[in-house]
Amino acid sequence: MAELGLNEHHQNEVINYMRFARSKRGLRLKTVDSCFQDLKESRLVEETFTIDEVSEVLNGLQAVVHSEVESELINTAYTNVLLLRQLFAQAEKWYLKLQTDISELENRELLEQVAEFEKAEITSSNKKPILDITKPKLAPLNEGGTAELLNKEILRLQEENEKLKSRLKTIEIQATSALDEKSKLEKTLQDLQLDQGNQKDFIKAQDLSNLENTVAALKSEFQKTLNDKTENQKSLEENLATAKHDLLRVQEQLHMAEKELEKKFQQTAAYRNMKEILTKKNDQIKDLRKRLAQYEPED
């Protein structure tokens, strides 16, 4: 069986359309045949016709056949437009833009391939038993159709959706893990702050205790120093008083020694000679002064 390069579903749709077109073509051919049959029965009743009569008969037949063929061609074009409209509407439902190549409609090779396909389909259909099967209809527009391209697009979107779901799940897991880690870090920070506060309180208490001990030690040392100073002062005062008494005693002894020494010196011959010399000198000085007084002029 000839193939058109389509999948099974689309090929069945083509077969249905070709059957529809063949049935319409058969009806139109019967109409043309009836035109000739009517002409034979209505006009060809005499044995001889003139040229004018033959021309009139042929012109009438031409007009009828022309009308029937034109009507069939117009109807076929409109039918094709309706078929394209259904396909385009289904494509627009999925935001697709279909394109057609008008030049391919006159491709003799493709036309022969379609003719061969139709012959093969007619032959195979004649061999099959006639069954009462309802012809499939075109899928409603609101159902989206079942075209392979649309199915592929749906599958692609579903796969992308699954990937996005998987990625979202991974991100949610990462976010949850990050939140847990954040909670742990916050708790650790709070514990550290609490420990630091306790350490500060402990350090403050310890520093206060050390300060109190230091103050007490300094106070004790100061008191001890003060006591020692008082004792030293008393000792110094006592020593000073003793030293004063000793000094007075020594001075007294020295004075007595000087008197004794002077007494002893006065009793020596040298002292007596010196005293006599000094006395003589004094007398001489007095005498000289008297003499000088006599020579000094009066004021």
Side-chain angles (χ1 to χ4, degrees), residues 9-250:
H9 173 77
H10 289 163
Q11 189 160 298
N12 290 331
E13 293 294 327
V14 171
I15 292 173
N16 292 333
Y17 177 75
M18 294 181 70
R19 289 175 180 175
F20 167 77
R22 188 166 60 249
S23 65
K24 298 292 290 183
R25 185 170 64 248
L27 291 176
R28 289 301 176 183
L29 290 176
K30 289 181 180 180
T31 301
V32 173
D33 292 339
S34 66
C35 291
F36 283 91
Q37 186 64 32
D38 292 340
L39 178 63
K40 290 179 182 180
E41 293 177 354
S42 62
R43 300 296 301 274
L44 299 180
V45 292
E46 298 180 2
E47 294 181 355
T48 59
F49 292 92
T50 63
I51 295 176
D52 294 336
E53 290 176 343
V54 172
S55 296
E56 181 183 357
V57 170
L58 292 178
N59 289 334
L61 179 61
Q62 179 184 3
V64 173
V65 172
H66 181 274
S67 176
E68 290 293 334
V69 172
E70 183 182 17
S71 176
E72 175 62 18
L73 292 176
I74 292 173
N75 185 69
T76 301
Y78 291 168
T79 302
N80 291 333
V81 170
L82 291 178
L83 181 62
L84 290 175
R85 178 179 177 273
Q86 293 180 9
L87 296 176
F88 291 156
Q90 289 185 9
E92 290 176 1
K93 192 73 175 180
W94 292 92
Y95 304 98
L96 299 177
K97 293 182 180 180
L98 303 181
Q99 293 181 349
T100 58
D101 188 358
I102 304 299
S103 62
E104 293 293 328
L105 300 179
E106 295 181 354
N107 190 324
R108 298 304 305 174
E109 183 178 355
L110 294 178
L111 291 174
E112 292 176 359
Q113 184 177 355
V114 173
E116 183 65 24
F117 175 77
E118 184 179 18
K119 291 180 182 179
E121 191 275 329
I122 293 173
T123 302
S124 61
S125 62
N126 291 332
K127 292 180 180 180
K128 294 180 181 179
I130 300 176
L131 299 176
D132 187 10
I133 301 176
T134 303
K135 295 181 179 181
K137 296 181 179 180
L138 187 66
L141 295 180
N142 56 0
E143 293 182 1
T146 57
E148 183 179 4
L149 180 61
L150 300 181
N151 288 333
K152 289 182 179 179
E153 183 67 15
I154 291 172
L155 292 176
R156 187 186 68 80
L157 293 175
Q158 288 177 347
E159 291 177 356
E160 186 175 355
N161 189 27
E162 292 296 329
K163 291 180 180 179
L164 291 175
K165 286 181 179 180
S166 177
R167 185 178 178 184
L168 178 61
K169 186 176 181 181
T170 302
I171 294 175
E172 288 178 351
I173 294 174
Q174 293 177 353
T176 304
S177 178
L179 289 175
D180 293 339
E181 188 68 20
K182 181 181 177 182
S183 300
K184 292 179 181 179
L185 291 175
E186 288 179 349
K187 185 177 180 181
T188 303
L189 180 60
Q190 291 177 358
D191 294 339
L192 289 175
Q193 290 177 348
L194 182 61
D195 292 340
Q196 187 177 6
N198 294 333
Q199 289 179 359
K200 286 183 178 179
D201 294 338
F202 176 75
I203 291 172
K204 288 180 179 179
Q206 188 175 7
D207 291 342
L208 182 59
S209 178
N210 293 333
L211 183 60
E212 290 177 351
N213 294 332
T214 303
V215 171
L218 291 174
K219 186 176 181 181
S220 177
E221 185 177 356
F222 177 74
Q223 188 66 33
K224 183 179 179 181
T225 303
L226 183 60
N227 293 333
D228 293 340
K229 185 176 181 182
T230 303
E231 293 178 358
N232 291 332
Q233 186 176 2
K234 291 180 180 179
S235 178
L236 289 174
E237 290 177 353
E238 292 176 357
N239 293 332
L240 181 59
T242 303
K244 285 181 178 181
H245 291 301
D246 292 339
L247 179 58
L248 292 174
R249 186 173 64 254
V250 170

Side-chain angles (χ1 to χ4, degrees), residues 257-270:
E258 288 178 351
K259 286 182 177 183
E260 183 69 24
L261 181 61
E262 184 178 359
K263 184 178 179 181
K264 289 180 178 181
F265 180 71
Q266 290 177 0
Q267 293 178 358
T268 60

